[in-house]
Amino acid sequence: MTSTTPFIDTARQVIRTEAEALMTLADALDDTFRTSVDLLLNAKGRVIVTGIGKSGHIARKIAATFASTGTPAQFVHPAEASHGDLGMVTRADVVLAISNSGEAPELANIIAFTRRFDIPLVGITKAPNSALGSQCDVVLQLPDLEEACGTGVVPTTSTTLTLAMGDALAVAIMKHRAFTAEHFRDFHPGGKLGAQLARVSDLMHSGAALPLVSVNTPMPEALIEISQKGFGVVGVLDDAGSLAGIITDGDLRRHMSNRLLDLTAQDVMTTSPRTIDPSVLAQEAVGIMNGLTGERPVTCLFARDPGADGPPLGLIHIHDCLRVGLG
């Protein structure tokens, strides 16, 4: 079998080269970074991110990171900008242009457009005196370091540095704006991340879907409510409309020998049922339902405001959580 050691050695060298470059970049940051953040923060419109080739790929990711962390942003392809997409750029925007060499000819028209209409221009480049750098209001200079490929021609170290600079800008702005996980959830409702940030109120059933009866409801009617609503439980409300108890399949089994159908919901219910605050993360509800808090596992929880009287606001079932990827 051929040894993989040379491949591992190469991989480690690439990663070390890029890691060392990142440390150099971190140490080189100065007041121009703060000035760039100020320009981006003060934009009344969007951050227009542009670049060609590998820089263009990085620019797309930077624009996406800005947008998902509360800074309106859009990638504009510089070649398409020359054929009409300059109409996407307004005087309220700030342009963030990326070119490692600073000499990408495709950027010429969008650079000229920013100068013509007095649109702030921030550049990320290793060459502050280049065609790009010389026109920028602020230049975020990348250290001129060797590419990790060893030949000096494959964008590796340079693209990693550019990506890190974009992340640094986005996170600095995010922290200044006190952007929280709650805000982040608003922009990420889908996928695993959205599920992890979902709250009980996002997943719970409410209104007419809730299985509820009064304490005086005969058990035949309570059984119909359990069957029709399909959660396997029914909440029991007292005369004031507050949640007094819950009837589960366990309660039904315990009363089968006591002429169950002759009883009322109050006779069968378990009092003081566990409930959950609808504002907490659904992940917390999963932990409670799975018994991770030390109490016996359950399949669902009624949701109500802590300390509040009145009927429950909703019901969350373990299947609701599993459906979105929690469990």
Side-chain angles (χ1 to χ4, degrees):
M1 182 180 295
T2 303
S3 172
T4 59
T5 300
F7 300 126
I8 294 175
D9 289 344
T10 299
R12 286 174 175 162
Q13 184 57 47
V14 169
I15 293 170
R16 287 183 181 125
T17 298
E18 296 192 8
E20 290 169 4
L22 286 171
M23 294 306 299
T24 301
L25 175 63
D27 292 339
L29 292 179
D30 55 23
D31 279 349
T32 58
F33 184 85
R34 178 187 54 78
T35 304
S36 299
V37 170
D38 287 340
L39 275 176
L40 298 173
L41 275 171
N42 292 327
K44 292 182 173 58
R46 298 156 300 161
V47 176
I48 303 298
V49 192
T50 188
I52 195 73
K54 301 301 184 293
S55 293
H57 295 308
I58 299 299
R60 287 181 186 275
K61 191 275 178 185
I62 291 173
T65 300
F66 275 130
S68 68
T69 53
T71 300
Q74 178 180 345
F75 172 78
V76 173
H77 194 289
E80 296 296 336
S82 300
H83 295 275
D85 282 2
L86 280 173
M88 298 178 180
V89 186
T90 74
R91 295 188 181 190
D93 299 332
V94 173
V95 172
L96 177 63
I98 301 170
S99 171
N100 186 47
S101 68
E103 300 294 347
E106 293 86 355
L107 292 175
N109 286 333
I110 197 167
I111 292 171
F113 187 81
T114 65
R115 304 303 80 189
R116 178 183 178 187
F117 293 103
D118 198 26
I119 298 169
L121 175 63
V122 178
I124 299 179
T125 179
K126 69 178 182 183
N129 297 320
S130 61
L132 169 62
S134 62
Q135 295 296 318
C136 288
D137 296 293
V138 185
V139 176
L140 290 170
Q141 184 176 357
L142 301 176
D144 189 4
L145 301 173
E146 65 173 327
E147 300 287 6
C149 64
T151 64
V153 297
V154 180
T156 46
T157 302
S158 58
T159 49
T160 297
L161 292 174
T162 305
L163 181 61
M165 184 70 83
D167 287 344
L169 288 168
V171 173
I173 293 171
M174 179 184 79
K175 289 192 173 183
H176 177 83
R177 289 177 170 159
F179 192 84
T180 65
E182 177 70 21
H183 300 127
F184 198 71
R185 182 181 66 86
D186 292 338
F187 295 122
H188 297 77
K192 184 70 173 179
L193 181 59
Q196 290 174 338
L197 296 173
R199 300 195 178 276
V200 169
S201 57
D202 298 322
L203 302 181
M204 71 185 189
H205 304 268
S206 60
L210 290 180
L212 297 171
V213 297
S214 70
V215 289
N216 298 318
T217 300
M219 279 307 298
E221 295 180 23
L223 289 171
I224 292 173
E225 181 75 356
I226 292 173
S227 177
Q228 288 181 339
K229 297 302 172 64
F231 296 108
V233 301
V234 65
V236 183
L237 305 180
D238 62 19
D239 293 336
S242 295
L243 185 67
I246 187 173
I247 299 175
T248 68
D249 59 347
D251 296 312
L252 297 178
R253 288 194 299 271
R254 282 189 290 274
H255 289 83
M256 286 299 292
S257 61
N258 297 332
R259 298 179 61 86
L260 175 66
L261 297 183
D262 294 335
L263 303 176
T264 66
Q266 187 172 25
D267 298 325
V268 178
M269 72 182 186
T270 295
T271 59
S272 303
R274 275 178 282 174
T275 60
I276 193 163
D277 184 339
S279 68
V280 305
L281 292 178
Q283 192 77 265
E284 181 176 332
V286 172
I288 294 173
M289 288 188 279
N290 285 334
L292 300 182
T293 58
E295 300 183 78
R296 65 179 180 82
V298 294
T299 59
C300 56
L301 294 166
F302 280 102
R304 63 177 175 181
D305 292 331
D309 292 328
L313 301 175
L315 179 143
I316 185 168
H317 196 282
I318 189 65
H319 290 164
D320 301 318
C321 300
L322 294 173
R323 187 179 64 252
V324 299
L326 297 175

